[in-house]
Amino acid sequence: MGMLVTYELVGDLGVITINNPPVNALSQKVRQGVVEAIAEAQTDNSKAIVLICEGRTFAAGADIKEFGKPPMAPSFPEMNEAVESSAKPVIAALHGTALGGGFELALSCHYRCALKTAAVGLPEVNLGILPGAGGTQRLPRLVGVETALDVITSGKRVAAPKALELGMIDRVVEEPLQDSALAYAQSLLEDGAPLRRIRDLEVPAAESDADVFEVWRKNMAKRRRGQVAPQKIVDCVEAAVSKPFEEGLQFERASFVECVGSDQAAAMRHMFFAERKAAVVEDLGENAKAKPINRVGIIGAGTMGGGIAMTFANAGIPVTLLELNQEALDRGLAMISKNYGITVSKGKMSQEAAGKRQALITGSTSYDSLADVDLVIEAVFESMDVKRQVFGELDRVCKPGAILASNTSYLDVNEIAACTSRPQDVVGLHFFSPANVMRLLEVVRADATSEDVIATSMVLGKKIGKVPVLARVCYGFIGNRMLRPYAREAQLSMIEGASPEQIDGVLTRFGMAMGPLAVGDLAGLDIGYKARQALTPEQKGDPRSYCIADALVEMGRLGQKSGAGYYRYDPETRARSSDPEVLEVIEAQARAHGVQRRTMSDQEILDRHLMALINEGFHILGEGIAQRPSDIDVVYVNGYGFPVFRGGPMFTASQMGLREVYDCICALRDKTGADYWQPAPLLEQLALEGKTLDSWIADKG
Ligand code: T1G
C-alpha cells in the first residue's frame, strides 16, 4: 500500500486513511490503496471499517489531471465495487467537500457520517462530464429521482445538515471526526445494523413517472443550453429507474466515457484550471504580502455601488456606503434592501441571514466616515473629472496604507492614481453588473501599484467569491477592450445585410448567453452613445460601425429601459420582439453611407465576431495587458457570457489551430481592406512559426 492510503486496526475497527494533498484526489494510486486496504480488512479481526481522509477535505473527486490519459486500474467502479461488497460494514467519515468520485466512493460505503461543516455533491457537470462511478445509479436509490436530478444537474454542494435531511448521509457528528466515526461504527455494530448496499435499494417508486425525465430534459436545454452532459445525466438517472443496477452502471459508464473524451469536457476542464491559474501573479516578489481587509468604504450607492456593498456584506465584511446626499443614500439603501428581499423570496437566503448582511452596510454622506477603512472602492459616474475630485478627497481622509480602488470600466487608472499623493496604493477593481452576482473581477494594475496592493486584491477577490483576473492599464482593460471590435462587427454586419435577429441568433446558437444587440439593449444604447460623444472622429473609427446605434438613440430608442432599441420590449413581461422600424433605420443608414446590403451567411457572421475577439486577445497578450491566454478565457466566460463549454475565445483559437485562425483573419482583411483586420503580431508570429499558445507560454517560462 502506498503512503497515500494507510490501514490500521483501532480496537476491533479497521481505519482506512487517504492522504493525498491538497484535496485527496482519487488518483490511480489512491484507488489501488483503497482496494488493497479493503481486501486486508476482509481477513483481519476488524468488525467494521471506517474510511476517512487526512487534510482539509474528504476526497474531492477523481484526479482531473488523469483525464484524457489512458485509464488505469483499478477503475472507479472496481474500487467502489470492492467497498460495497465488503463483508464488513464500511462507514465513510466526511469533512470538507466530498465531491464527485469522492462522494461516489462514500455512496458505495454502507453508511455515511459527516461533520456539520461538511458538504457533499456531484459537480461533474461543471467539467462537461457526469458522475462515472455509480453516482447516477446510487443517488436516485437513496434520495429519489427529482432530488438526484437536481443535485447532479446543478453540481451544487449540499451542506451536511441538508444532506442528512435528504438522506444523502446518515449522521452529522462532532469533532474530532475519527473518534465520532469510530463511535458511530460501534453503535451500528451494537444495533446489528445490516450491510446496507445502495445497489440493492429500489428507486423510490413514487417519483418515477416517465414525464419527469422529459421535463428535466427541457429544463436542462434552457438552463444549460448547448451542453451535452446534462442531457446524458437525465438519461442515466432514467436508466436507474428502467434498468437493473448493473446494466444502469454500464449505461452510466458508457455515457461517462463519451463525455470525458468530448470537446466540451476538454473546454470545461481548461476552464477549471484556468480559474485557479488566474489567481497567480507571475512576477510578484516573494515578499509581497496581502493586507487584512476588515472594513471597506464604497463611494456611490447606485447599481454598481449597491451591488459591490452587498458582495462585501455577503462575505461578512462591514461596509460604509457613501453618497453625496441623504436622498441618494436612501435610494441606494432601499435598492439593496429590495434585492435582499428578492433573494429571500426565492428561498435562496433566510430572512435572518439577509438581516445580518444588511446590518453590515452603514450609510454615510460624509467622507470623514472613511478615515478608518482598509479599502475604498469608488463606483461613481464614469468621468475623469469626477474621478479626480473623488480621489482627491480620498487622499485627504483615508488612513496611510488604505487601498484606494476605482471600479472604472474604461478609464486610465494611471491618471486616477496621479491625482493622489499615494499612487502605490491605487488599483482598479472592475466589478461586473450585477456586482453581487457576476463572478468576474478585473484587478487593474497601474504602473505605480505596489505588490502588496496587488497581492491583497487577488486574495480579497477570492474571499468575496469572485474570480480575480489581473489586467494592466489600457482602454477597457481585457474584457471591454475586446468587446469593442466584437460590437463593431455586429454593427457592420447589420449595415452590410444581416438583421439583429440573424446576428443574435448566430451568436446564441454558438452558445453566447445573449447576442451582441440584445446585450446592447440590456445595457442601454445611450451608454455607448455618450461614450462616443467624448471621442474624436478618428477615435470613433468607421462611422458605419456606429451610425445605426446613434440613429436609434437619437430616435429615443435606448433599449430595454425605453421599451425599444434593436428590438421592442413588452412593458409588462419585457418579452423581446422584432420591430420592422429598426430595419428601416438600418436600410436608411446603409443608403446614407453608400452601403449595398447583401445576404450574409451565418458562418461569416460567426467568423467575424469570433475573430474580432480572438485577434484583439492576441494584441492584449502581445502587449502584456493579460498575463496568459487562459486569463482572457476566464474574463470572457465569467464576465461576457462566452459559453463555458467552448473554453473561451483563446481556447477556441487553440482548438481551431492558430494557422487556421490566422488565415481566416487574413481573408477578412483582404475582403474588407480594413486595417483592423491586420492579424495581431503575436498571432502572425506563432501561426507562421507553427507554434501554439501553450508552447508560447512554455517558452516565456
Ligand atoms: N483533481 C486534481 N486537482 C484538483 C482537484 C481534482 N479533482 N480538485 C482540486 N484540485 C487542485 C486545484 O487545481 C488546486 O491546485 C488545488 O487542488 C486546490 O484547489 C469519477 C470523474 C475541492 C472545492 O469537480 O471544486 O470525480 O492550483 O484552489 O478553493 O465521477 O478544488 O493549487 O495547483 O480549487 O479550496 C469532481 C473539483 C471531479 C471538484 C477546493 N470533483 N475541485 O476548492 O481550492 S470528476 C470536482 C473543487 C470526478 C467521478 C468523476 C475545488 C475544491 P493548484 P482550489 P479550494
Side-chain angles (χ1 to χ4, degrees):
M1 253 171 292
M3 285 308 297
L4 300 180
V5 179
T6 56
Y7 176 68
E8 59 175 336
L9 268 178
V10 177
D12 58 1
L13 297 174
V15 178
I16 300 175
T17 306
I18 297 172
N19 186 12
N20 182 25
V23 295
N24 289 310
L26 298 168
S27 62
Q28 185 276 336
K29 285 201 170 49
V30 172
R31 299 194 301 272
Q32 184 69 42
V34 169
V35 169
E36 289 172 0
I38 288 284
E40 183 176 346
Q42 303 309 299
T43 58
D44 65 12
N45 300 332
S46 62
K47 292 195 175 55
I49 304 153
V50 167
L51 176 61
I52 193 166
C53 291
E54 288 283 355
R56 67 184 189 185
T57 181
F58 188 82
D63 186 335
I64 301 170
K65 295 192 184 79
E66 285 185 353
F67 291 179
K69 298 187 180 123
M72 296 179 288
S75 68
F76 275 84
E78 286 161 352
M79 172 183 68
N80 292 348
E81 162 69 17
V83 170
E84 192 169 51
S85 54
S86 162
K88 304 173 181 181
V90 183
I91 294 94
L94 313 179
H95 73 294
T97 50
L99 302 175
F103 186 52
E104 290 173 292
L105 173 58
L107 288 173
S108 69
C109 296
H110 306 106
Y111 296 93
R112 286 150 292 283
C113 66
L115 293 178
K116 192 163 179 265
T117 52
V120 299
L122 296 170
E124 284 86 344
V125 69
N126 299 327
L127 293 167
I129 58 176
L130 51 88
T136 69
Q137 303 305 301
R138 290 192 172 91
L139 190 61
R141 284 172 162 77
L142 211 49
V143 301
V145 164
E146 291 267 10
T147 303
L149 283 168
D150 177 39
V151 168
I152 306 174
T153 57
S154 66
K156 68 183 176 188
R157 290 178 205 169
V158 182
K162 180 72 181 171
L164 177 66
E165 191 191 307
L166 292 171
M168 296 169 84
I169 62 170
D170 305 294
R171 180 157 304 178
V172 170
V173 296
E174 300 299 325
E175 297 267 14
L177 178 59
Q178 177 155 326
D179 295 357
S180 299
L182 292 171
Y184 177 43
Q186 281 303 353
S187 70
L188 287 168
L189 289 171
E190 283 147 21
D191 299 348
L195 278 178
R196 194 183 56 168
R197 295 189 171 97
I198 295 179
R199 68 166 54 225
D200 301 334
L201 303 176
E202 288 299 317
V203 177
E207 298 178 45
S208 56
D209 59 21
D211 297 349
V212 64
F213 300 110
E214 281 324 299
V215 171
W216 274 87
R217 286 191 179 94
K218 289 202 178 73
N219 280 351
M220 287 305 108
K222 263 210 219 94
R223 283 190 350 224
R224 286 193 178 255
R225 183 163 54 80
Q227 296 186 30
V228 173
Q231 298 297 330
K232 295 244 177 245
I233 288 168
V234 179
D235 297 346
C236 288
V237 175
E238 186 172 30
V241 173
S242 62
K243 297 178 188 298
F245 183 80
E246 269 313 322
E247 279 182 43
L249 214 51
Q250 278 146 31
F251 182 89
E252 175 196 87
R253 196 71 200 167
S255 308
F256 171 79
V257 170
E258 203 181 319
C259 284
V260 83
S262 70
D263 291 347
Q264 293 199 352
M268 295 170 83
R269 234 177 0 257
H270 161 75
M271 286 308 300
F272 176 85
F273 289 114
E275 286 193 8
R276 281 148 187 84
K277 188 75 182 171
V280 179
V281 178
E282 302 292 354
D283 63 353
L284 266 193
E286 59 199 34
N287 302 331
K289 225 159 72 37
K291 307 179 186 185
I293 302 294
N294 300 318
R295 191 167 188 85
V296 171
I298 295 171
I299 317 287
T303 308
M304 288 309 294
I308 298 170
M310 291 174 73
T311 301
F312 282 92
N314 293 348
I317 300 173
V319 173
T320 301
L321 184 58
L322 186 79
E323 254 298 355
L324 287 174
N325 56 56
Q326 195 58 42
E327 192 206 344
L329 181 60
D330 294 344
R331 219 178 15 252
L333 292 172
M335 181 185 58
I336 290 171
S337 176
K338 181 169 159 250
N339 287 337
Y340 275 122
I342 292 168
T343 310
V344 171
S345 67
K346 287 184 182 161
K348 291 191 179 154
M349 188 186 292
S350 68
Q351 188 59 57
E352 187 210 349
K356 278 203 185 119
R357 293 170 189 202
Q358 260 183 280
L360 288 172
I361 302 173
T362 311
S364 167
T365 57
S366 160
Y367 270 94
D368 296 334
S369 64
L370 301 177
D372 294 325
V373 299
D374 303 308
L375 162 70
V376 182
I377 303 174
E378 155 278 311
V380 298
F381 186 66
E382 195 73 330
S383 119
M384 189 53 86
D385 292 343
V386 177
K387 306 285 185 193
R388 283 202 195 92
Q389 190 261 328
V390 169
F391 275 78
E393 276 297 291
L394 294 177
D395 200 18
R396 179 180 65 78
V397 298
C398 290
K399 67 181 180 184
I403 297 176
L404 310 182
S406 171
N407 179 54
T408 179
S409 307
Y410 285 91
L411 300 178
D412 186 338
V413 182
N414 287 321
E415 202 176 327
I416 293 174
C419 305
T420 73
S421 60
R422 47 176 120 178
Q424 74 282 2
D425 295 332
V426 175
V427 68
L429 291 181
H430 179 209
F431 289 78
F432 289 75
S433 183
N436 56 314
V437 176
M438 296 294 280
R439 295 179 67 228
L440 181 63
L441 175 67
E442 278 184 326
V443 175
V444 184
R445 183 183 197 168
D447 298 348
T449 307
S450 75
E451 294 201 348
D452 288 359
V453 169
I454 292 298
T456 307
S457 303
M458 299 303 280
V459 168
L460 181 68
K462 194 166 179 185
K463 183 174 177 191
I464 60 175
K466 303 299 180 192
V467 183
V469 176
L470 191 73
R472 286 281 186 180
V473 172
C474 67
Y475 188 74
F477 320 129
I478 298 174
N480 285 342
R481 173 172 165 177
M482 290 168 69
L483 197 60
R484 293 191 71 201
Y486 177 81
R488 176 198 67 218
E489 288 311 307
Q491 294 295 316
L492 290 175
S493 299
M494 257 191 308
I495 203 165
E496 291 174 30
S499 66
E501 294 78 4
Q502 183 188 12
I503 295 165
D504 283 353
V506 167
L507 273 301
T508 49
R509 285 192 295 279
F510 174 75
M512 297 298 284
M514 282 176 93
L517 301 165
V519 169
D521 276 355
L522 180 68
L525 305 182
D526 52 328
I527 309 282
Y529 183 82
K530 287 191 192 116
R532 280 190 296 278
Q533 301 321 302
L535 300 176
T536 63
E538 293 67 44
Q539 289 172 322
K540 280 204 280 189
D542 181 343
R544 292 172 305 167
S545 70
Y546 57 81
C547 59
I548 295 168
D550 282 4
L552 292 174
V553 171
E554 285 151 13
M555 293 165 67
R557 299 179 68 107
L558 311 183
Q560 285 198 20
K561 60 179 136 186
S562 70
Y566 294 107
Y567 301 96
R568 189 158 287 288
Y569 296 87
D570 180 287
E572 306 301 316
T573 65
R574 283 185 176 277
R576 185 168 63 226
S577 59
S578 301
D579 186 341
E581 191 179 37
V582 173
L583 199 52
E584 289 162 18
V585 172
I586 295 171
E587 286 169 345
Q589 290 300 322
R591 283 191 299 274
H593 290 85
V595 177
Q596 185 59 46
R597 302 188 80 227
R598 58 185 174 87
T599 305
M600 291 183 71
S601 71
D602 288 358
Q603 189 58 48
E604 177 185 352
I605 292 169
L606 184 61
D607 287 348
R608 288 170 65 163
H609 285 77
L610 271 185
M611 293 306 130
L613 285 176
I614 291 170
N615 201 35
E616 197 64 30
F618 274 98
H619 280 295
I620 283 172
L621 286 173
E623 296 165 24
I625 300 296
Q627 292 190 95
R628 53 186 80 87
S630 60
D631 284 6
I632 295 176
D633 294 332
V634 171
V635 164
Y636 256 74
V637 167
N638 289 291
Y640 295 81
F642 198 97
V644 65
F645 60 85
R646 299 214 186 250
M650 306 320 283
F651 183 79
T652 300
S654 294
Q655 296 301 92
M656 281 178 72
L658 300 191
R659 184 62 207 230
E660 187 179 333
V661 170
Y662 175 75
D663 293 344
C664 184
I665 292 173
C666 289
L668 287 167
R669 176 201 57 203
D670 301 343
K671 185 173 176 186
T672 61
D675 289 348
Y676 51 71
W677 276 125
Q678 184 58 39
L682 176 62
L683 170 61
E684 183 158 60
Q685 175 209 333
L686 297 179
L688 298 182
E689 292 172 5
K691 288 200 170 146
T692 65
L693 279 169
D694 289 345
S695 65
W696 176 67
I697 285 283
D699 295 350
K700 271 203 331 167

